[in-house]
Amino acid sequence: YVAPTAVRLMVIDTETGSIDTPFGQLADLRQAAWAHDSKQLALLVLASAVPGAAPAVRLQIWDTERKTLRDVPVKGDSSVAVNSGLEWTADDKGLLVSLRSRQRDAEAKSRFKALTEGPIIVHNAKEPFLEWDDLGRANRWRSLAAIDVATGQPRVILPERKVSSYSVARDGTFITFMEDATEKTDYDTIGGTDNTLRLVQMAGGEPKTLVDAQDIKGVQLRWS
């Protein structure tokens, strides 16, 4: 389930005061990111819900000079995750997003239906995770990829794993990410999570561990 939202996107020229509204109406906008040259605005929009289908995210680009909005269909068996971030690559030819396999979405939907419509639901504290807690973590299963804005072809940078959050380096050469390493439901902190801090080069390859989960618990990072 994804809570809907409705916002009006406005692009304001601060020199002239002119305003563009790319959608022309309210939209379920999730993310927006300017290209480094400010000529393109990338958008992640939640598409209209189709009964019985998982929520779908559309990747679109607003051209500030042509005043046009175009879709970037993402190729492959995975789709842009609803909880994806959105950042341009250093050369403005690609967009960094998180992807989720359609199978993962189908599994999460099936579990949600069983928990809400099943005749009898039993939560057993002897299991590592309570069902609702485990289901809530399902959206962390995702991969990180750079999408070619011209072709829609994804280049996987980080294969699928439980990514709690991620951040692109200022120079665009690497990505740091928090990987969920939680072993069981935390009864002291609702939604409590243990994360390992890792780094992966933008070119891909095996991630490097920076700090283990036990050494970063309760720590807030601020990068220079």
Side-chain angles (χ1 to χ4, degrees):
Y1 172 75
V2 178
T5 183
V7 299
R8 189 179 305 282
L9 176 65
M10 303 171 69
V11 181
I12 304 172
D13 187 320
T14 56
E15 292 184 350
T16 66
S18 64
I19 298 175
D20 288 310
T21 53
F23 297 119
Q25 57 188 359
L26 295 176
D28 200 333
L29 180 64
R30 297 285 153 166
Q31 297 283 347
W34 283 106
H36 297 90
D37 62 7
S38 300
K39 294 180 179 180
Q40 300 181 95
L41 179 63
L43 308 164
L44 289 183
V45 186
L46 195 66
S48 299
V50 177
V57 176
R58 297 171 65 184
L59 175 58
Q60 299 181 299
I61 294 180
W62 165 255
D63 187 306
T64 59
E65 295 180 345
R66 296 185 178 90
K67 310 296 183 184
T68 56
L69 187 66
R70 69 179 179 91
D71 282 286
V72 180
V74 179
K75 298 178 180 178
D77 297 327
S78 297
S79 55
V80 178
V82 174
N83 59 334
S84 173
L86 183 63
E87 295 192 54
W88 288 85
T89 55
D91 58 7
D92 282 344
K93 294 182 178 180
L95 286 163
L96 182 69
V97 300
S98 60
L99 304 177
R100 182 171 299 114
S101 70
R102 293 178 175 83
Q103 181 181 351
R104 288 284 184 191
D105 277 337
E107 291 173 353
K109 180 184 175 183
S110 178
R111 291 182 63 188
F112 180 83
K113 184 175 182 180
L115 286 170
T116 54
E117 298 181 12
I120 299 176
I121 302 298
V122 177
H123 297 283
N124 190 341
K126 294 181 180 180
E127 299 293 331
F129 290 96
L130 288 176
E131 280 288 344
W132 280 112
D133 185 26
D134 199 28
L135 178 61
R137 298 174 188 275
N139 67 353
R140 297 177 184 178
W141 280 109
R142 47 186 173 163
S143 58
L144 300 181
I147 308 297
D148 187 313
V149 297
T151 66
Q153 185 67 44
R155 176 180 65 84
V156 175
I157 299 170
L158 181 72
E160 184 186 57
R161 58 180 65 206
K162 283 187 176 181
V163 178
S164 298
S165 61
Y166 61 93
S167 178
V168 182
R170 194 169 300 166
D171 64 1
T173 59
F174 63 89
I175 302 170
T176 54
F177 64 96
M178 292 286 199
E179 183 173 3
D180 189 345
T182 311
E183 296 180 350
K184 61 182 180 179
T185 293
D186 188 336
Y187 291 97
D188 295 322
T189 304
I190 301 300
T193 302
D194 294 330
N195 292 293
T196 297
L197 178 63
R198 302 190 193 279
L199 179 150
V200 63
Q201 297 295 328
M202 189 65 76
E206 188 65 26
K208 178 174 67 174
T209 299
L210 300 181
V211 187
D212 288 323
Q214 63 267 24
D215 298 324
I216 205 172
K217 190 175 180 67
V219 173
Q220 291 189 359
L221 301 175
R222 294 292 183 269
W223 291 96
S224 63

